[in-house]
Amino acid sequence: MKKILALLIVLFLTLSFAAAEETVPVDPPVVDEPAAPPFTVPADGNEFGALLTPYQPLTARVRGMGSTGVAVTGRSDTFYVNPAALASKRFQLSVPSVQLTAYHLYDAVKGGGDLISLGSLVNMASGIQEGYGKLFDIDAAMSFTAGGFGLGINATLSANTYADKGQYGLNASVFGEVRAAISLGYGYRFELPMDFSIDVGGMVRFSYLAFTDTFSADLLSDTDNFDISTYPVMAGFAVPIDLGINVNMPYGFSFGLVSRNMNGRYYMTYHDGFEAYGKDPFGGRASEDNRFSFDTKWSLDAGIGWSYDTWYLSPTIAIDIRDFVGMCTTDDFTFRDFMYHLNIGAEVRVLSFLDLRAGLSQGYWSLGVGLDLWAFKVDVAYYRQEFGETAGAYGLDGFTVRINLGYDR
């Protein structure tokens, strides 16, 4: 039964690769005058366009390694990087992990400010640039992997920003976002001669998205008159599928492919406030006028890696190409386009408890460190993340701290 399931995963993965060049993205409809209060369905070019990206809460380990891991992923990273890693039958338990990411860190602490003060929050907002960005993410997760199976639960609360040309800083817009997912996956390993093996895996998840309408960033400093619960809420769900394959070779080398976010259409409902949303979070009683849908982007990612394990020193090197098909079909391809899709990362584990990490993601460097005390683990990463449409367009710094209880190594 396991071999049949694994062969089906390979078949679906092969079909998705074969159909990749014929896939034409469908632009979501734009509602100019809905029956409900004014609202525009997420689309490229407006403040909600970034919601077209799939849900992928990367850990501090992955961030510190330049957002790499297609060919060398493991641990709880498996759920959102490459499900083929489940085939290693690695045991992993997070009960739970909590991760906090603060963006605009330089803006928040400049001038000697306190990171958790209202003044620092205003400083963070003052650093908003044109386009989409973030203020913070709070992520909580529980996950378990063993025997090739994996079950994970994630929830992320985000404060997002958007600025039109000339509307920087406190003149920009802010909106809240909540994403949650329940992921179930399986991986199987085919053993081959001469120390080769092939891992295949699949991950299906129920993904939930809710976000508010926008409000002005300057309201962050006006707590007496600001009540976010009065703002409209859009909420809905999707059931995306990830399929991956890894080829494991002698001397620690590996090659991986992952078809990410297949079937990534969200079915959404408009709610005129938090009270209406709380009474019907899945929109089962909503009218057709308050319903809409949009597609999140499918991608094919590729990676190569090398790792070598000893008790005293275990190095890992990874190189990934994000959205490989999109890169190859870009008109007037330039070096900047190549850098936009390229991630490079490295990790060195010292004496089985200290991890040192560095990376290059879309042209920006990243650094990270991890302390593994068996049932308690802390990972920290500082990096820059590209929020623009090309490499170097809008690099926003982020500082991530993750605490995990359980076993994740």
Side-chain angles (χ1 to χ4, degrees):
M1 185 63 187
K2 291 182 178 179
K3 290 185 177 181
I4 293 175
L5 180 60
L7 287 172
L8 288 174
I9 292 173
V10 173
L11 176 61
F12 281 120
L13 187 63
T14 303
L15 290 175
S16 71
F17 295 163
E21 294 186 359
E22 300 179 0
T23 300
V24 178
V26 178
D27 293 332
V30 176
V31 180
D32 295 323
E33 297 180 356
F39 169 69
T40 303
V41 174
D44 294 334
N46 65 41
E47 56 264 47
F48 300 112
L51 298 178
L52 297 175
T53 59
Y55 180 43
Q56 191 183 22
L58 299 180
T59 66
R61 174 180 182 253
V62 174
R63 290 295 190 191
M65 292 180 63
S67 299
T68 59
V70 170
V72 298
T73 186
R75 313 173 192 177
S76 56
D77 309 325
T78 301
F79 289 90
Y80 293 95
V81 179
N82 190 349
L86 290 171
S88 67
K89 299 184 178 181
R90 182 197 302 262
F91 174 77
Q92 176 272 325
L93 179 66
S94 295
V95 286
S97 68
V98 178
Q99 181 168 285
L100 172 64
T101 300
Y103 298 89
H104 296 276
L105 184 67
Y106 174 78
D107 296 320
V109 301
K110 64 183 179 182
D114 184 351
L115 184 59
I116 62 174
S117 68
L118 178 61
S120 289
L121 187 61
V122 173
N123 285 340
M124 293 167 68
S126 67
I128 297 172
Q129 299 181 37
E130 180 181 346
Y132 171 76
K134 283 179 174 285
L135 292 178
F136 65 82
D137 292 329
I138 301 174
D139 182 80
M142 299 179 65
S143 60
F144 169 78
T145 66
F149 291 91
L151 174 64
I153 302 174
N154 278 80
T156 304
L157 171 66
S158 302
N160 305 316
T161 66
Y162 181 82
D164 285 317
K165 187 174 182 179
Q167 293 183 333
Y168 308 130
L170 295 176
N171 293 320
S173 300
V174 177
F175 63 97
E177 173 192 357
V178 174
R179 296 211 189 208
I182 300 175
S183 304
L184 180 63
Y186 176 73
Y188 186 81
R189 172 167 292 178
F190 295 89
E191 297 289 351
L192 301 176
M194 302 177 62
D195 293 328
F196 282 82
S197 63
I198 297 177
D199 295 339
V200 294
M203 189 77 66
V204 59
R205 61 177 55 91
F206 176 83
S207 186
Y208 185 78
L209 166 64
F211 58 99
T212 70
D213 204 349
T214 60
F215 55 90
S216 177
D218 60 7
L219 289 176
L220 293 173
S221 60
D222 188 9
T223 56
D224 293 334
N225 298 314
F226 175 57
D227 183 7
I228 193 174
S229 66
T230 62
Y231 283 75
V233 177
M234 284 58 68
F237 68 92
V239 187
I241 299 171
D242 295 348
L243 298 176
I245 183 169
N246 275 346
V247 179
N248 306 306
M249 296 171 279
Y251 307 109
F253 291 96
S254 57
F255 170 76
L257 286 171
V258 57
S259 179
R260 195 186 316 283
N261 201 50
M262 302 167 64
N263 191 47
R265 169 165 290 191
Y266 275 87
Y267 298 91
M268 306 293 293
T269 303
Y270 176 95
H271 305 270
D272 61 7
F274 274 62
E275 183 177 355
Y277 166 68
K279 293 179 179 179
D280 190 19
F282 290 94
R285 299 190 295 270
S287 67
E288 288 300 322
D289 290 337
N290 286 353
R291 297 178 186 273
F292 62 93
S293 65
F294 61 86
D295 294 321
T296 53
K297 188 178 180 180
W298 171 90
S299 68
L300 175 63
D301 299 349
I304 58 175
W306 174 79
S307 60
Y308 185 78
D309 292 333
T310 68
W311 70 269
Y312 56 91
L313 196 67
S314 298
T316 297
I317 298 174
I319 302 174
D320 290 358
I321 299 294
R322 302 167 56 253
D323 190 16
F324 183 78
V325 174
M327 182 188 72
C328 294
T329 56
T330 300
D331 295 333
D332 300 323
F333 187 76
T334 66
F335 180 73
R336 181 181 289 260
D337 294 322
F338 175 71
M339 291 301 297
Y340 182 75
H341 293 267
L342 176 67
N343 292 342
I344 302 173
E347 177 185 62
V348 177
R349 168 158 285 203
V350 181
L351 299 178
S352 299
F353 73 92
L354 178 64
D355 297 317
L356 304 176
R357 306 175 183 118
L360 184 70
S361 176
Q362 299 180 291
Y364 300 106
W365 55 266
S366 63
L367 296 172
V369 63
L371 183 63
D372 187 350
L373 301 177
W374 290 91
F376 179 79
K377 186 174 182 180
V378 179
D379 292 294
V380 177
Y382 184 69
Y383 55 93
R384 296 188 72 86
Q385 182 178 349
E386 180 57 68
F387 284 90
E389 297 182 357
T390 60
Y394 181 15
L396 181 58
D397 68 319
F399 179 73
T400 297
V401 178
R402 178 178 183 260
I403 298 175
N404 181 78
L405 299 179
Y407 184 83
D408 188 14
R409 61 186 319 181

